[in-house]
Amino acid sequence: MSGFRHHRGRLAEDEIGFSYNGRILPARVGDTVASALLANGIEVIGRSFKYHRPRGVTSCGAEETGALVTIGSGAAAEPNVRATMQLVTAGMQVSSQNCWPSAQFDLLAINNLVGSILPGSPFAAGFYYKTFMWPARLWYQFYEPSIRRAAGMGKVPTQADGDVYDRVNSFCDLAIVGGGAAGLSAALSASQSGLRVVLMDEHASLGGQLLNAPAQQTALDQWRLDTIAALSAADNVILLPNTICWGRFDGNTLAAHEMVDSKVRHNYHKIHAKKIIIASGAIERPLVFANNDKPGVMLASGVRKLLNHYGVAAGKKLLVFTNNDSAYQTAFDYHEQGIQVSAVIDSRQQPSEQLLTACAERGIPVHRQSVVIKAKGWHGVRSVLVAHLGADGVVGPSNSVACDLVAHSGGWTPQVQMASHGGRPPVYNQQLTAFVVDQQAADTWSVGGAQGELGLYAAIDQAVAAAQAACQQLNSHGGDVVKPTQDCSGELNIEPLWRVPAKGKQFIDIQHDVTSADIRQSHIEGFVSVEHMKRYTTLGMANDQGRTANVNALALMAQCQGQSIEATGTTRFRPPIAPVSLGGIGGREVGQHVRPLRRTPMQDWHERQGAVFVETGLFRRAQYYPLTSETIDEAYVREAAHVRTKVAICDVSSLGKIEVVGPDAAEFLDRIYINMFSTLPINKARYGIMLREDGHIFDDGTTSRLADDRYFMTTTTAQAGPVLSHLERCLEIDWPELRVRVSSVSERWAAMAVAGPQSRATLQMAFPDIDFSNQALPFMGVVHGEFQGTQLRILRISFSGEMAYEVYTEAHYGEQVWQHIMAVGQTHEIIAYGLEAMGALRIEKGHVTGAELDGRTTLADVNMQGMASKKKWFVGQNLLQRQGMQDANRPCLVGLQAVDPQQAIMAGSILVTAANATVGCDKQGWVSSMTYSPALNSYIALGFLRDGHQRYGEKLYASYPLQGINVAVEVVSQHFYDPDNKRVKG
Amino acid sequence: MLRIKCPYCGTREHTEFTYGEDAKRILPDTDASLDVWNTYVFARHNVAGEHLEYWQHTLGCRAWLKVQRNTLTHTISWIGLPQDTPPQPEEECS
Ligand SMILES: [Zn+2]
């Protein structure tokens, strides 16, 4: 309980209330969850991923490694939110995570002790890969459940997310990533050109590191406020605070995530920029010493921002530990505010005289050439052990120094992720002791801290030069920017200290509990590549993406390998660089907006009839129309039997329909189909098959000729799109000389199949002006007519094997025509039948569908090789001749009838000769589709069987080992019903 | 995010388009040998650099387009109709 609200900072005076683990706490408008919790003296916020060590706030930004919380509850709960990035709103529910029963007292912290007693287990480097190599069954019984309970982060809600997310597509001339001094300067310069500028910053307040400095009327703050005011007033500038730019993609596209948290929760911005300036700044690196994860150990810059921006003192007794100049300012600011500074521990031999004098004036003791070897305290820090660091790298005897807040700094790491996206490797810079990207992508500039320039004036100069260059390339002029009256040199005088040479748990990646010992362990086990070390130790794989951990880990790895950091190299950066909600990426494209329903013209009718629907592509087709308390099996068998005995109607509007028009239409179809269409007489239909170039069956359907130069093609529902693209491709690329146009008319025509012995009589009554006699409209004939002024196109074709017609009419009148046929058909007891009955009928006839034509079958496989014309060339003909396609041993299509007629055959079964299929047994074939046949009063199936034609009469087993199902079947011809096709022609 | 400038519709996102493979393949004669057809259908250069390829503007005008795209940078340097040829012969690294 050491943090407290010290003064107002830059926040408003207004107080709001929020709840933390059920307690109501006060906060100021503008507080983050982290600053509000610290202001309330809350030190331990959660427990760590593996060891369940107490964790608190470690920073003030996106690099936060300790304070992860869950916001909200129920369906709206969002786990693993960085408390430093989340603004408090009135009534917000915040809860700590990964602890039981509470963050203060966590029983699973036993992991911490076990981990230190038994090195190498259970949570040391590589524990996922090697610790649980014992009998596999133990994994399910013991390890997996217990690890799930022990390790991990917050819990993802299981209910559907009810919040609204949005997507914004925007276009600009210049996009600026980061709103610190550099980003603001670039925007101010570019704003004067009149070009469209977008500036994003992940924080609620723009200013970046400027916010770390005190607020009270300083030159820096005045400059910041004036610049923001100027930008806000400019019509051509859009400022997006609370917006993290998380990826740079091809074509200068940026992806950004805005936390809106009003009616819309998050916005996903897709920004198409002509030019990009990356001003994402630099973040502070931690120092690596024992217990550096303890609540109260924080990055010096974060400690400073907490005080100056949020008015929160994170402790009552500050100790600074550093290897560079930048952290001294934190000590000075705390001293200035009257908070005790117990000491500055500086690992360098000779910090500058200026700093030493400044400390002396303030009475702050400086321990030169000294290091903190360990932080001590039960939950939070209460003291540290300080020791002299010898020139030989060995630490001397230690003294205890009391403190409740350790502000540490190991230098600064440029945020190069954005510059690096798109495959630009970061390169090590000795002077900065960090990586920067030297080669910028086209139309991109990286400036300020992101490029390793830590000085204020220098960063502003760099940013303005980049903005002016960008404007110039766009034929405009960026203006000049007046700098603040006070500079910050940014001079670090850093001396690397990658790890304090002492014992204890020294954390590198605090969020994933990866220690310096884990890095060493991975080296000992032979992991040479950085990428492998990263995966083996899971370093940098938590939601902070290892921002603070990366450089320290690489340096330690290089030390282990006895080589330079340059030689060890770094890992590649990939988007997203920060956690992004999936809701944001999806935007409004959820549910039916991502998978819209394609309605057939008769959809309403099916719904009114209480049809049960099945998804086929984007359609929901009527599967069956149950009578009261009828099961699916009862319904489809009744419907199928009705087709065979009376008359029934089925909605087939989902079929693809394509008009093929032009003088060369006949020639074109001859090339597309394996069979002839140029010989097809006008007003006749023909069944056709088309192949892919590789010789496999592509699609089938009925195509009719309406005129010399005009055909009406139908395709299967599933292949409608691919077939159209294929036809267009052939015409535009392969045969541009053919004078043919194709266009999809799928949406223009409603289609219904009227099938059964009474179909002719029904249609004759429905449309008395059309002659349906066998002479006028024979099998495969086409006739045209009208119904109440609406066009009709009627094909006498049959999929069911009964006398049948397909009635096409204008889509808008589909339901009227359907209802008319239903009304007239009452005399003949017409009913509607669904997809399931249609399946039963076609299997009885041995017709193939997608289950058989699955993209891997040849003509011979489905016994259709005879259909291929020998008088002409067609697509797929050449590669159909390949040896493998002609192999006589390929399984071919057969019928299968259950020996016990009432025993169902499973689709997907394998065909074997013995009653019990065993692992490795000889699979003779498989079952592709099955049904109960009302015509045969038996379960029947279609399947593919090796040497199938020679095996009619043979008894096999359709075996489904996963469910222990074995069904005795007899091999028969695929044509179960009316093999001579008498009924269709009647 | 690729943006493709359709000669008919203007610049659109690549999500409106469908990739249509290598545009340097030449359709063999109908009576060409099995080897020639096999190469045409299955063999592809995995080009690291300038690549000539087809795209169809499936969710726009449905035109098939010829596109020269650098497979390393995704930069599109030229777009034409299927019968057009790009201004300079593209370099190919294999
Ligand atoms: Zn287009």
Side-chain angles (χ1 to χ4, degrees):
Chain A
M1 300 290 269
S2 49
F4 60 98
R5 178 85 58 192
H6 183 270
H7 60 278
R8 194 181 138 185
R10 289 188 186 84
L11 308 187
E13 291 285 7
D14 315 69
E15 261 195 9
I16 48 176
F18 74 107
S19 88
Y20 174 65
N21 292 337
R23 275 170 68 197
I24 304 298
L25 299 176
R28 298 277 171 88
V29 172
D31 257 329
T32 61
V33 170
S35 67
L37 291 175
L38 285 169
N40 283 291
I42 290 165
E43 194 169 36
V44 180
I45 291 178
R47 289 281 171 161
S48 74
F49 183 53
K50 290 191 285 197
Y51 302 123
H52 283 252
R53 288 166 68 98
R55 291 285 160 82
V57 180
T58 62
S59 76
C60 246
E63 67 272 28
E64 178 60 24
T65 53
L68 297 181
V69 293
T70 296
I71 304 291
S73 61
E78 189 178 351
N80 304 327
V81 173
R82 290 158 300 170
T84 52
M85 299 301 288
Q86 176 69 53
L87 287 184
V88 175
T89 55
M92 175 179 271
Q93 282 177 280
V94 179
S95 30
S96 51
Q97 52 188 44
N98 200 26
C99 49
W100 185 81
S102 77
Q104 276 294 320
F105 177 72
D106 182 295
L107 288 176
L108 293 166
I110 190 74
N111 289 345
N112 187 28
L113 299 175
V114 175
S116 49
I117 297 163
L118 303 168
S121 75
F123 285 115
F127 81 98
Y128 287 113
Y129 304 107
K130 65 183 181 199
T131 313
F132 306 108
M133 298 287 280
W134 301 312
R137 69 189 161 80
L138 283 182
W139 177 259
Y140 300 104
Q141 289 169 359
F142 176 69
Y143 301 125
E144 210 257 350
S146 47
I147 288 174
R148 279 211 185 283
R149 214 175 314 120
M153 306 247 181
K155 286 194 178 61
V156 177
T158 49
Q159 305 98 308
D161 187 345
D163 283 332
V164 176
Y165 299 83
D166 234 327
R167 182 190 281 187
V168 181
N169 277 294
S170 51
F171 299 81
C172 64
D173 295 302
L174 176 64
I176 299 167
V177 180
L184 290 173
S185 305
L188 190 59
S189 166
S191 72
Q192 297 163 52
S193 69
L195 295 172
R196 294 172 305 165
V197 179
V198 171
L199 178 142
M200 294 152 266
D201 190 89
E202 58 194 354
H203 288 281
S205 303
L206 298 177
Q209 308 274 351
L210 295 174
L211 300 173
N212 298 3
Q216 295 82 8
Q217 298 301 315
T218 59
L220 290 182
D221 220 40
Q222 201 51 54
W223 182 88
R224 182 184 75 89
L225 292 169
D226 292 346
T227 308
I228 294 170
L231 292 174
S232 304
D235 290 340
N236 57 329
V237 179
I238 294 172
L239 298 178
L240 293 173
N242 290 315
T243 304
I244 172 84
C245 185
W246 56 263
R248 185 164 65 84
F249 298 90
D250 298 320
N252 271 359
T253 312
L254 296 173
H257 193 74
E258 182 185 11
M259 317 263 277
V260 188
D261 285 332
S262 62
K263 279 180 188 150
V264 170
R265 191 170 184 178
H266 300 155
N267 272 337
Y268 165 39
H269 292 263
K270 196 186 212 179
I271 300 170
H272 301 279
K274 287 184 186 148
K275 308 285 171 190
I276 296 171
I277 291 180
I278 297 164
S280 45
I283 55 163
E284 206 163 24
R285 273 200 302 270
L287 285 165
V288 179
F289 57 95
N291 296 346
N292 58 346
D293 65 324
K294 216 169 247 312
V297 178
M298 299 176 64
L299 294 172
S301 56
V303 170
R304 185 166 176 238
K305 184 176 176 183
L306 272 168
L307 182 69
N308 291 328
H309 184 68
Y310 300 103
V312 173
K316 298 190 178 76
K317 198 182 282 180
L318 170 72
L319 178 129
V320 172
F321 177 24
T322 185
N323 67 348
N324 68 81
D325 286 358
S326 69
Y328 278 79
Q329 202 56 50
T330 304
F332 298 157
D333 288 357
Y334 268 64
H335 179 266
E336 180 78 25
Q337 295 291 341
I339 299 162
Q340 191 187 339
V341 180
S342 61
V344 172
I345 315 298
D346 195 323
S347 65
R348 297 172 295 177
Q349 275 188 324
Q350 193 53 59
S352 75
E353 278 309 319
Q354 201 190 339
L355 289 174
L356 294 176
T357 312
C359 285
E361 283 168 1
R362 291 166 172 84
I364 301 172
V366 178
H367 301 236
R368 279 187 266 170
Q369 217 181 333
S370 294
V371 290
V372 170
I373 59 173
K374 190 174 195 174
K376 301 190 78 170
W378 177 237
H379 279 139
V381 179
R382 294 299 173 262
S383 66
V384 294
L385 295 181
V386 175
H388 183 76
L389 178 65
D392 50 0
V394 178
V395 293
S398 63
N399 305 310
S400 178
V401 179
C403 62
D404 63 1
L405 175 62
V406 176
H408 60 149
S409 175
W412 290 80
T413 305
Q415 294 296 282
V416 296
Q417 297 99 320
M418 278 293 144
S420 169
H421 285 173
R424 270 148 228 285
V427 181
Y428 189 70
N429 179 308
Q430 193 88 49
Q431 200 195 337
L432 275 169
T433 66
F435 288 85
V436 287
V437 172
D438 286 339
Q439 302 169 292
Q440 296 300 321
D443 304 313
T444 303
W445 291 262
S446 179
V447 299
Q451 198 57 21
E453 185 48 77
L454 300 175
L456 178 61
Y457 279 9
I460 292 175
D461 284 339
Q462 228 177 36
V464 172
Q468 289 174 343
C471 292
Q472 194 177 12
Q473 288 181 12
L474 296 169
N475 302 317
S476 190
H477 297 284
D480 291 322
V481 169
V482 179
K483 294 191 192 99
T485 52
Q486 177 195 338
D487 188 18
C488 308
S489 81
E491 214 45 66
L492 290 181
N493 300 309
I494 187 167
E495 283 176 21
L497 173 67
W498 299 118
R499 171 184 166 262
V500 171
K503 286 184 178 160
K505 266 210 167 79
Q506 304 175 323
F507 286 86
I508 307 270
D509 182 336
I510 293 180
Q511 233 192 77
H512 252 178
D513 274 351
V514 180
T515 63
S516 59
D518 292 325
I519 309 283
R520 218 168 24 246
Q521 184 69 21
S522 82
H523 167 72
I524 290 167
E525 293 186 23
F527 291 89
V528 178
S529 144
V530 187
E531 299 282 1
H532 292 162
M533 177 276 284
K534 177 180 159 177
R535 280 155 187 81
Y536 192 58
T537 60
T538 72
L539 178 120
M541 291 162 84
N543 85 6
D544 61 339
Q545 294 276 291
R547 276 165 208 239
T548 54
N550 218 18
V551 177
N552 284 338
L554 297 173
L556 281 185
M557 198 178 171
Q559 262 178 22
C560 290
Q561 295 173 336
Q563 64 181 13
S564 67
I565 298 175
E566 293 93 315
T568 297
T570 184
T571 53
R572 285 293 172 94
F573 295 103
R574 288 182 301 262
I577 69 162
V580 182
S581 68
L582 288 174
I585 293 175
R588 307 239 176 183
E589 290 177 25
V590 289
Q592 285 214 345
H593 293 287
V594 73
R595 236 183 110 69
L597 171 67
R598 280 186 80 178
R599 300 171 59 83
T600 77
M602 287 79 87
Q603 197 84 24
D604 289 342
W605 189 91
H606 306 314
E607 280 168 15
R608 286 199 304 273
Q609 294 302 306
V612 175
F613 292 96
V614 60
E615 277 196 21
T616 53
L618 294 178
F619 287 101
R620 281 174 75 228
R621 298 183 68 182
Q623 190 180 11
Y624 58 100
Y625 302 83
L627 301 177
T628 324
S629 76
E630 219 179 16
T631 65
I632 173 171
D633 289 343
E634 290 162 353
Y636 86 78
V637 169
R638 170 181 55 78
E639 289 172 11
H642 199 96
V643 172
R644 294 262 181 255
T645 52
K646 294 181 174 131
V647 59
I649 185 167
C650 179
D651 186 352
V652 293
S653 303
S654 64
L655 291 177
K657 308 169 203 83
I658 299 169
E659 286 240 352
V660 181
V661 184
D664 297 320
E667 164 68 19
F668 176 59
L669 290 182
D670 277 351
R671 297 185 192 181
I672 292 293
Y673 280 119
I674 61 165
N675 46 337
M676 289 290 237
F677 278 80
S678 53
T679 55
L680 184 67
I682 291 169
N683 286 333
K684 286 286 184 189
R686 185 167 284 171
Y687 173 73
I689 292 182
M690 53 181 89
L691 306 185
R692 297 195 307 244
E693 277 180 335
D694 67 7
H696 287 105
I697 296 176
F698 179 21
D699 196 41
D700 67 344
T702 305
T703 289
S704 39
R705 192 170 201 170
L706 305 178
D708 246 356
D709 60 351
R710 192 176 197 93
Y711 289 81
F712 177 63
M713 173 188 283
T714 64
T715 73
T716 59
T717 303
Q719 299 288 11
V723 167
L724 183 65
S725 273
H726 171 65
L727 301 182
E728 289 165 335
R729 188 199 149 93
C730 290
L731 286 171
E732 287 185 47
I733 295 173
D734 293 341
W735 313 314
E737 70 281 5
L738 291 185
R739 294 160 301 164
V740 180
R741 296 289 295 168
V742 291
S743 44
S744 167
V745 291
S746 296
E747 302 288 311
R748 184 161 147 54
W749 293 97
M752 50 207 97
V754 181
Q758 301 300 318
S759 57
R760 175 185 292 145
T762 303
L763 289 180
Q764 191 63 72
M765 274 178 79
F767 311 115
D769 297 344
I770 301 173
D771 183 357
F772 284 91
S773 70
N774 229 354
Q775 295 71 38
L777 185 57
F779 183 55
M780 299 312 270
V782 179
V783 70
H784 308 273
E786 267 193 5
F787 171 68
Q788 297 179 355
T790 303
Q791 204 183 338
L792 294 177
R793 182 181 290 169
I794 298 172
L795 281 57
R796 186 170 164 197
I797 55 177
S798 174
F799 193 50
S800 57
E802 293 303 318
M803 176 196 289
Y805 302 82
E806 272 180 15
V807 178
Y808 290 82
T809 185
E810 292 170 49
H812 290 306
Y813 303 99
E815 192 177 328
Q816 269 117 306
V817 170
W818 174 284
Q819 295 219 35
H820 174 65
I821 296 172
M822 286 300 291
V824 169
Q826 293 299 316
T827 336
H828 302 288
E829 297 175 56
I830 192 168
I831 63 162
Y833 69 105
L835 214 53
E836 206 64 31
M838 184 198 274
L841 295 164
R842 70 97 189 169
I843 293 171
E844 286 180 340
K845 284 297 291 176
H847 289 322
V848 289
T849 58
E852 286 75 34
L853 308 183
D854 63 357
R856 295 174 294 181
T857 37
T858 66
L859 289 169
D861 293 349
V862 292
N863 310 325
M864 303 253 216
Q865 64 273 45
M867 262 181 74
S869 171
K870 295 193 173 57
K871 296 184 193 139
K872 55 149 190 152
W873 177 89
F874 54 86
V875 173
Q877 188 190 54
N878 308 75
L879 289 183
L880 183 57
Q881 309 309 320
R882 282 181 292 163
Q883 199 179 358
M885 309 281 277
Q886 296 292 327
D887 187 349
N889 283 324
R890 288 177 71 95
C892 63
L893 187 67
V894 294
L896 301 162
Q897 187 162 359
V899 172
D900 170 358
Q902 301 311 308
Q903 202 179 3
I905 306 165
M906 291 274 288
S909 296
I910 52 171
L911 295 171
V912 292
T913 48
N916 289 303
T918 50
V919 175
C921 72
D922 186 22
K923 293 187 280 286
Q924 313 266 311
W926 67 92
V927 175
S928 54
S929 33
M930 60 72 68
T931 187
Y932 182 80
S933 161
L936 280 73
N937 285 317
S938 170
Y939 277 102
I940 58 168
L942 294 175
F944 291 85
L945 179 65
R946 206 186 302 151
D947 299 324
H949 299 142
Q950 282 88 57
R951 299 172 73 171
Y952 291 168
E954 189 177 330
K955 212 174 90 179
L956 292 174
Y957 292 89
S959 175
Y960 203 91
L962 283 178
Q963 294 183 19
I965 294 173
N966 279 287
V967 181
V969 293
E970 187 188 331
V971 181
V972 295
S973 154
Q974 78 198 70
H975 307 291
F976 293 93
Y977 183 75
D978 185 26
D980 303 325
N981 268 339
K982 291 205 175 86
R983 300 180 68 89
V984 297
K985 292 173 184 155
Chain B
M1 230 61 62
L2 279 181
R3 288 168 65 75
I4 298 174
K5 190 172 180 185
C6 171
Y8 300 110
C9 310
T11 306
R12 303 293 182 89
E13 286 210 17
H14 79 262
T15 48
E16 289 187 11
F17 297 79
T18 309
Y19 179 69
E21 289 201 1
D22 187 353
K24 291 188 77 184
R25 301 188 304 151
I26 295 160
L27 185 70
D29 287 341
T30 55
D31 56 359
S33 71
L34 200 54
D35 271 357
V36 171
W37 272 97
N38 200 62
T39 304
Y40 168 72
V41 172
F42 295 111
R44 298 284 185 281
H45 291 290
N46 190 10
V47 176
E50 296 295 318
H51 189 240
L52 204 58
E53 59 203 21
Y54 289 118
W55 288 78
Q56 187 185 16
H57 196 185
T58 19
L59 299 182
C61 63
R62 295 199 64 88
W64 280 88
L65 307 173
K66 203 184 250 181
V67 174
Q68 187 170 311
R69 177 181 63 100
N70 189 304
T71 58
L72 298 175
T73 64
H74 282 188
T75 310
I76 293 176
S77 51
W78 176 85
I79 296 178
L81 300 179
Q83 274 67 51
D84 297 340
T85 37
Q88 313 116 339
E90 70 276 23
E91 305 144 35
E92 208 174 273
C93 338
S94 45

